[in-house]
Amino acid sequence: MKLALKVLKYLVGLIVVLLAAGFLLPAEYSAQRSVSINAPVDKVFPLVANQKEWKRWSAWNQRDPNMTMTYAGPEAAVGSKWTWKSKSEGNGGMEWSALDANKRVGFILRMEDMTPATGELTFAAEGNGTKVVWTMNGNAGMNPIFRWFGLFMDKMVGPDFEAGLKNLKKLAEAS
């Protein structure tokens, strides 16, 4: 009994220390990946600007082909948005906050139980091809648990960005 109480005491102490340390961690987090695509910007950009095209290359759609999506607003324009429901990828939505033809698509990402994140995909001519950079930034607020997640956000989301950009490259170069 004494051993169990001692273990419990240390466990509670560890949890308190981890939560307290969480408040000392940065609230801001980010993830970024890029790819060079052997296709001109005007071929690559529409595959990103039109949200209905994402199901053809996004890693999340590839992992859950049964994901249900609903689209709203103007197509491929500021204010266009879509929401999704997925057992494996979670429920969320994305809205275009900026759209500069063949240069940039800005977005606001909302996932259940998390504060919204912002980001963008930028496009730059690179010889006869296109360099695409995908960035996401967020703020964990005062939640110490989300701040711990923020430390690992690049490692958690980065591989999905890489997979999506690899699929985007394959799709753009094939057409």
Side-chain angles (χ1 to χ4, degrees):
M1 182 71 165
K2 284 185 180 183
L3 179 62
L5 286 174
K6 197 173 198 178
V7 168
L8 181 63
K9 181 174 116 178
Y10 284 115
L11 187 60
V12 168
L14 179 63
I15 291 170
V16 168
V17 167
L18 288 174
L19 285 174
F23 285 109
L24 301 174
L25 295 173
E28 303 291 326
Y29 62 84
S30 65
Q32 182 180 67
R33 296 294 188 276
S34 64
V35 68
S36 292
I37 299 175
N38 295 320
V41 174
D42 62 350
K43 268 190 151 182
V44 180
F45 184 80
L47 296 171
V48 175
N50 185 337
Q51 295 164 334
K52 292 177 182 176
E53 294 289 338
W54 280 56
K55 63 186 168 199
R56 297 177 61 200
W57 61 268
S58 165
W60 304 299
N61 291 96
Q62 303 293 316
R63 280 198 301 260
D64 182 4
N66 296 319
M67 181 183 292
T68 59
M69 293 177 284
T70 306
Y71 302 94
E75 196 169 289
V78 172
S80 65
K81 47 181 108 172
W82 86 97
T83 58
W84 58 85
K85 291 184 188 247
S86 169
K87 289 182 182 180
S88 65
E89 304 307 302
N91 301 329
M94 192 178 273
E95 177 178 352
W96 287 168
S97 58
L99 198 122
D100 301 315
N102 294 332
K103 292 181 184 164
R104 176 176 172 255
V105 175
F107 63 84
I108 301 167
L109 173 67
R110 293 178 176 86
M111 296 295 292
E112 278 185 347
D113 302 325
M114 296 188 71
T115 57
T118 59
E120 65 182 9
L121 286 102
T122 59
F123 306 81
E126 189 176 68
N128 291 333
T130 305
K131 181 169 184 168
V132 180
V133 180
W134 191 350
T135 307
M136 183 180 75
N137 303 294
N139 187 311
M142 291 303 294
N143 186 321
I145 296 169
F146 286 168
R147 286 183 177 209
W148 279 105
F149 276 111
L151 281 180
F152 305 102
M153 191 61 70
D154 186 71
K155 290 193 185 318
M156 291 187 314
V157 177
D160 290 345
F161 284 10
E162 288 171 11
L165 290 171
K166 181 180 174 185
N167 293 338
L168 179 64
K169 175 181 174 72
K170 185 176 176 182
L171 182 64
E173 289 177 355
S175 45

